[in-house]
Amino acid sequence: MIGLPDELVSLLRKHQAEQDKDRKAARQLWQEGGWVFTTATGQPVSPYTDYHEWKALLKSAGLRDGRLHDARHTAATVLLILGVPERTVMAIMGWPRGTST
């Protein structure tokens, strides 16, 4: 079990409500797999789709090109700026104590 910042919990709850709407709209086409992030029919999101959406997001925001993995490190930095304890950030990131990836 790990602690999550309140802001993230709020975003995840909002996402869950939106996904519930997708589930109802998809009806029998919904494929329940326990995924947090899915397509409109409950299937896991393709890593390639995620990659392309990331690149499009950077471009539309007018930001320099960057690897999706860079966002992981940015997320850790933002959590620390928000005052989330270092040990909690390391647990969220899945980093063992004293190591980063």
Side-chain angles (χ1 to χ4, degrees):
M1 179 183 283
I2 59 171
L4 296 174
D6 291 338
E7 296 88 353
L8 181 55
V9 172
S10 294
L11 288 170
L12 287 170
R13 286 192 175 133
K14 181 179 176 186
H15 173 72
Q16 183 179 31
E18 291 171 3
Q19 193 176 61
D20 287 343
K21 291 178 187 175
D22 287 344
R23 183 180 287 109
K24 288 177 186 175
R27 298 181 180 193
Q28 72 272 13
L29 297 177
W30 184 265
Q31 297 181 14
E32 189 60 58
W35 302 101
V36 174
F37 299 101
T38 67
T39 66
T41 57
Q43 298 172 340
V45 176
S46 164
Y48 298 108
T49 300
D50 196 37
Y51 170 84
H52 293 296
E53 287 181 4
W54 170 250
K55 294 296 185 176
L57 179 64
L58 290 175
K59 186 175 182 178
S60 69
L63 299 172
R64 68 171 175 80
D65 190 34
R67 300 173 304 155
L68 183 55
H69 186 78
D70 296 336
R72 176 176 166 77
H73 292 278
T74 301
T77 301
V78 169
L79 290 170
L80 291 169
I81 290 169
L82 290 173
V84 176
E86 185 176 327
R87 292 186 70 112
T88 302
V89 173
M90 291 172 66
I92 290 169
M93 297 282 112
W95 295 332
R97 186 173 179 190
T99 306
S100 66
T101 57

